[in-house]
Amino acid sequence: VKGVLAMASHLPPLLFGAAERAELRAEVDFDTVLTEFGSARAKAALADADILITGWECPPVDAAALAAAPKLRAVVHAAGSVKGHVGPEVFARGITVSSAAWANALPVAEYAVAMILLAGKNTFAIARRHRETRARVDLIRDYPEIGNYGRTVGIIGASLVGRAVLRLLAPFDLELLVHDPYLSTTDADELGAELVGLDQLCRRSHVLSIHAPALPETRRMVDAGRLALLPDGATLINTARGSLVDQDALENELRTGRISAVLDVTEPEVLPAGSALWDLPNLVVTPHLAGSVGTELRRMGASALAEVSRIVAGQPLRHEVRAAALATLA
Ligand SMILES: NC(=O)c1ccc[n+]([C@@H]2O[C@H](COP(=O)([O-])OP(=O)(O)OC[C@H]3O[C@@H](n4cnc5c(N)ncnc54)[C@H](O)[C@@H]3O)[C@@H](O)[C@H]2O)c1
């Protein structure tokens, strides 16, 4: 079995640890990294490849690349979504596709949970006030509604991230709501959450966290009307994609000071330097920080190499992506 790497050239040392490399030294040439599929060098590597180990910035595995790779039987992605480089022609040739989306989902879920719990205590607003006044803050008098006991958290999308968020939130004394058109009541029960419609979720959630994929049907699903349903003092957290929120409507709602927001994703990304959002005190913007960064890349790399090892050992893959599921996946 021969594995070939295709991704941004700086990634392999960040994704793959020494121990994992050593284990697959016979099968994978970790020093050759394809960043395109058109050159003679790339075609020579593809001619021998049984497995393509892909990462961020992998070029599209299109008809020409497939023609150059007659032995190819698996594309193993060391990152989340495969939609950028794997199209229908890959599945049509019977090539198996695997993704490390589960491993990329964990840091997003951890980030969201951290923000959810901080939002529960109105942490950012109170820290800002404390800095401005440099005086004692009378929390009991001024913030009777804050706290993470018995409060309602709404999750949009029982995606890999959404499910991980619900699992991580299970030990806390929170009331959990979930909205997902593909989730059954039984599945929601197992996740410890009440399955509700989107409007009801907005009406009841003190903290609302968005985890649905960017699809035509999720575009601006959190619009002006739904933002207006949020209770006073609510916090909206978006680590999914900017397209899911009507950003102009959010800006208007934030201006009133009625709600707060944490945005890890925006439209566009990065916000224009002149965007009024930068100056809103009740908005925290982070630069697409929630997903795998730093040490977290290694979890995606380990996941991908474990899949390669399974192929080498003739075992079934653990994180296969099915063509039929693509339409509702991130
Ligand atoms: N901020 C970051 O760094 C970062 C990193 C990774 C993922 N993301 C984003 O997080 C989100 C979740 O990613 P994922 O990999 O867990 O997604 P995923 O592929 O697991 O999501 C698919 C699931 O979303 C649910 N879903 C589909 N349509 C829906 C709808 N209309 N309403 C509600 N739920 C719906 C379904 O349960 C479906 O199975 C995506 O938007 C993704 O782009 C962001």
Side-chain angles (χ1 to χ4, degrees):
V1 177
K2 178 113 174 69
V4 169
L5 305 186
M7 59 186 70
S9 57
H10 67 286
L11 282 174
L14 303 173
L15 288 167
F16 309 123
E20 295 136 7
R21 281 162 186 264
E23 223 168 277
L24 284 166
R25 201 166 296 284
E27 289 83 12
V28 182
D29 170 10
F30 286 97
D31 299 322
T32 305
V33 188
L34 303 185
T35 57
E36 44 72 35
F37 294 138
S39 67
R41 170 184 167 269
K43 285 184 175 146
L46 288 175
D48 278 344
D50 300 287
I51 305 170
L52 205 53
I53 303 163
T54 62
W56 289 325
E57 293 176 42
C58 175
V61 186
D62 55 14
L66 287 172
K71 294 162 68 186
L72 191 66
R73 57 182 162 115
V75 174
V76 175
H77 194 40
S81 178
V82 298
K83 284 183 178 176
H85 64 299
V86 173
E89 55 279 1
V90 172
F91 292 102
R93 223 185 77 182
I95 293 169
T96 307
V97 179
S98 154
S99 149
W102 74 272
N104 196 33
L106 289 189
V108 183
E110 289 165 358
Y111 172 104
V113 165
M115 289 299 177
I116 288 166
L117 295 175
L118 290 174
K121 287 179 96 84
N122 211 2
T123 307
F124 296 116
I126 293 173
R128 196 172 59 243
R129 172 175 163 187
H130 197 36
R131 181 191 290 265
E132 279 163 8
T133 62
R134 305 195 177 198
R136 196 178 76 85
V137 176
D138 192 334
L139 295 165
I140 301 301
R141 188 196 62 193
D142 294 351
Y143 302 96
E145 299 297 327
I146 64 171
N148 286 315
Y149 180 70
R151 298 254 283 175
T152 305
V153 174
I155 301 299
I156 299 180
S159 56
L160 289 168
V161 177
R163 285 167 189 265
V165 168
L166 288 168
R167 275 197 304 274
L168 289 170
L169 287 178
F172 299 98
D173 284 321
L174 296 165
E175 181 186 31
L176 302 176
L177 307 179
V178 63
H179 167 74
D180 186 325
Y182 301 97
L183 193 71
S184 69
T185 316
T186 319
D187 290 342
D189 277 351
E190 267 166 32
L191 290 165
E194 182 186 345
L195 183 64
V196 296
L198 189 49
D199 286 350
Q200 195 190 143
L201 185 105
C202 292
R203 215 173 273 120
R204 289 171 58 189
S205 297
H206 294 111
V207 183
L208 180 67
S209 197
I210 307 177
H211 302 294
L215 305 171
E217 57 271 27
T218 60
R219 186 162 175 77
R220 304 206 167 164
M221 70 194 299
V222 179
D223 58 8
R226 295 206 163 110
L227 289 168
L229 294 176
L230 291 174
D232 289 355
T235 301
L236 174 78
I237 299 172
N238 189 7
T239 58
R241 284 292 180 263
S243 65
L244 278 73
V245 176
D246 181 336
Q247 208 163 271
D248 293 335
L250 177 64
E251 185 180 322
N252 290 335
E253 196 71 45
L254 288 170
R255 262 184 213 290
T256 68
R258 201 181 70 77
I259 65 168
S260 303
V262 175
L263 300 182
D264 189 52
V265 288
T266 54
E267 238 187 14
E269 235 166 83
V270 178
L271 290 173
S275 169
L277 289 171
W278 289 118
D279 299 317
L280 292 174
N282 47 344
L283 170 64
V284 172
V285 185
T286 53
H288 210 122
L289 170 66
S292 302
V293 293
T295 63
E296 294 155 356
L297 271 68
R298 292 281 296 278
R299 190 191 274 121
M300 296 196 299
S303 173
L305 293 190
E307 289 285 75
V308 172
S309 295
R310 287 181 196 108
I311 295 172
V312 171
Q315 295 165 356
L317 291 174
R318 210 168 275 176
H319 305 290
E320 187 171 346
V321 180
R322 309 247 172 219
L326 270 192
T328 56
L329 289 185

